[in-house]
Amino acid sequence: MEQDQLLQHFLNTLSPDNQLRSNSEKILMELIDKPGTLSKCLEISVDNTLPQNIRIVAVTFFKNKIKKSWFIINNIQLKNLEISNDEKLQIKSKLIHSLLQSITSNFDHNIINQLRTSIELILRSDSDWDNELLSISLQFLNHYSDDFYHVFT
């Protein structure tokens, strides 16, 4: 799906028109299970050229998919909900950068909190990521040690 269509469906979820909202929610629930859509949601959530309400919807869909499906591994009954290993690696590589981008560019608490929750959810179910995350954190602390917001995050 093209990004413009995805953005339109995110916007439609905020519509007072119940049918329009329901149709777009249904489409988004189907799309979120397709490879690449989760990464696209993360990209949209930190794109400052987009309206804040759309970015909040995108990051909420992102976080909810992480919460619902990150832990699913090799389960035949839930295979259609599983996030591929390739996409998991891609998300983990972008997530910290996306959080820092949100802090430095617009400091939107809603988006930052959703991204922090996503990191926490991943850490709970992916114990291998903690060592990598520690290394990344130490690098950022060294680089941003004079910046309170980065150190706090």
Side-chain angles (χ1 to χ4, degrees):
M1 172 168 277
E2 296 292 322
Q3 180 169 326
D4 290 342
Q5 291 173 314
L6 190 59
L7 293 172
Q8 186 61 53
H9 287 299
F10 285 143
L11 183 61
N12 291 349
T13 65
L14 303 171
S15 172
D17 180 340
N18 192 38
Q19 184 174 359
L20 179 63
R21 185 178 62 250
S22 295
N23 287 340
S24 283
E25 286 172 351
K26 182 180 176 187
I27 290 169
L28 287 168
M29 294 307 289
E30 293 169 5
L31 287 175
I32 200 71
D33 292 331
K34 296 194 183 309
T37 305
L38 193 57
S39 295
K40 183 65 79 178
C41 288
L42 180 59
E43 292 170 15
I44 289 170
S45 69
V46 295
D47 184 346
N48 289 326
T49 64
L50 298 172
Q52 180 186 27
N53 58 349
I54 291 176
R55 292 185 296 120
I56 290 172
V57 172
V59 77
T60 302
F61 268 84
F62 173 83
K63 187 249 333 176
N64 289 344
K65 177 63 176 178
I66 297 290
K67 185 176 186 177
K68 181 174 84 172
S69 301
W70 194 272
F71 68 92
I72 300 171
I73 300 170
N74 298 325
N75 186 316
I76 298 196
Q77 285 99 2
L78 301 174
K79 186 70 175 164
N80 62 327
L81 300 176
E82 185 177 342
I83 301 168
S84 73
N85 287 331
D86 289 343
E87 189 153 25
K88 285 181 177 181
L89 289 172
Q90 186 178 26
I91 288 166
K92 288 191 293 187
S93 72
K94 292 179 179 180
L95 193 51
I96 301 301
H97 176 73
S98 297
L99 177 63
L100 291 174
Q101 183 179 345
S102 288
I103 290 169
T104 56
S105 59
N106 61 4
F107 207 78
D108 184 317
H109 289 286
N110 295 315
I111 292 172
I112 292 167
N113 288 336
Q114 297 282 24
L115 292 174
R116 284 183 184 158
T117 300
S118 298
I119 292 169
E120 180 183 332
L121 291 165
I122 292 170
L123 280 170
R124 285 182 184 172
S125 62
D126 192 343
S127 60
D128 296 338
W129 196 40
D130 62 347
N131 289 330
E132 183 180 344
L133 190 58
L134 178 62
S135 174
I136 292 169
S137 299
L138 291 173
Q139 290 173 5
F140 282 124
L141 278 174
N142 287 331
H143 189 269
Y144 293 107
S145 62
D146 60 339
D147 187 339
F148 172 75
Y149 292 117
H150 284 90
V151 172
F152 176 73
T153 300

